[in-house]
Amino acid sequence: MVVPDLRGMGLSSHPQNGYDKKTQAHDIAQVMDKLKIEKAALVTHDIGNMVGYALAAQFPARVTRWVIIDAPLPGIGPWDEIIRSPALWHFNFRGPDVERLVKGRERIYLDRFWNELSANPKAINEATRRHYARLYARPGAMHSAFNQFAAFTQDVADNKLLAEKGKLTMPIFALGGEHSFGMQMAEIMRLVASDVTGGVITDSGHWVMEEQPRQTTAAIVKSVQSK
């Protein structure tokens, strides 16, 4: 099992550019090359979904199957409606002062995500919150995080071109949180893939691994191990 931090995320480096998802897909392909992994089953969540689509669309022979969890794809399906949701205001939160506004207040900013996008905020425990707040307080971390969203305009253009080349053919299991994207995940993926099964993690919002870890893990393992 390989669990990479995306460009600018976690303990990865914080380059100034390259946050479009096509570039980050090449990052993942290079990780696979370095580890001599020719092909793999793919499991993604949130921004990882967007990088996952760019990876699967550019290198379809390297992805045997894909579990995609609770986040939309820029430019695909109801994207224009999704980005106007008040709950997703952070998609458009950018500009010259956003880093100054959040600096030293990373925990306040992150608590908003956990509290408002979960079905049960208490499921995201204090240790988890402190861990990520420390990571996002590292130099360059919030700059990278904001650039993930700022790249969406380019991602929309890239995804539309990738979709025009044809649908993905590998088996895809599209999981959504019951109180988040739910079965809409499968509806979105059927626009770009031909073999899609949908599923819902019950009693969960967006943070399925924190809110319902056993249920989510069981669903992922069952899908990845299926023939």
Side-chain angles (χ1 to χ4, degrees), residues 102-184:
V102 175
K103 186 176 177 59
R105 305 178 182 88
E106 293 86 3
R107 173 62 186 270
I108 297 172
Y109 181 71
L110 294 171
D111 273 341
R112 175 260 157 183
F113 288 88
W114 293 316
N115 293 341
E116 295 184 19
L117 301 182
S118 62
N120 177 17
K122 293 181 179 179
I124 296 89
N125 61 35
E126 182 61 22
T128 297
R129 292 169 186 253
R130 288 180 179 176
H131 171 75
Y132 286 109
R134 284 194 296 269
L135 286 177
Y136 277 99
R138 290 164 61 92
M142 286 307 307
H143 177 80
S144 298
F146 288 128
N147 276 340
Q148 292 282 2
F149 300 134
F152 282 174
T153 300
Q154 182 62 51
D155 298 333
V156 167
D158 290 341
N159 284 350
K160 289 182 177 179
L161 290 176
L162 290 172
E164 288 177 1
K165 295 181 179 180
K167 290 189 173 185
L168 304 177
T169 59
M170 74 283 295
I172 294 175
F173 186 31
L175 274 174
E178 180 182 10
H179 300 285
S180 188
F181 282 94
M183 287 300 292
Q184 188 179 30

Side-chain angles (χ1 to χ4, degrees), residues 159-224:
N159 284 350
K160 289 182 177 179
L161 290 176
L162 290 172
E164 288 177 1
K165 295 181 179 180
K167 290 189 173 185
L168 304 177
T169 59
M170 74 283 295
I172 294 175
F173 186 31
L175 274 174
E178 180 182 10
H179 300 285
S180 188
F181 282 94
M183 287 300 292
Q184 188 179 30
M185 285 302 305
E187 296 171 6
I188 291 171
M189 291 310 299
R190 288 188 180 109
L191 297 173
V192 294
S194 59
D195 185 359
V196 179
T197 302
V200 173
I201 301 300
T202 59
D203 299 320
S204 181
H206 176 63
W207 311 106
V208 295
M209 283 303 299
E210 289 76 20
E211 298 182 68
Q212 296 293 341
R214 291 184 180 179
Q215 183 185 163
T216 304
T217 300
I220 292 170
V221 170
K222 182 178 179 181
S223 174
V224 171

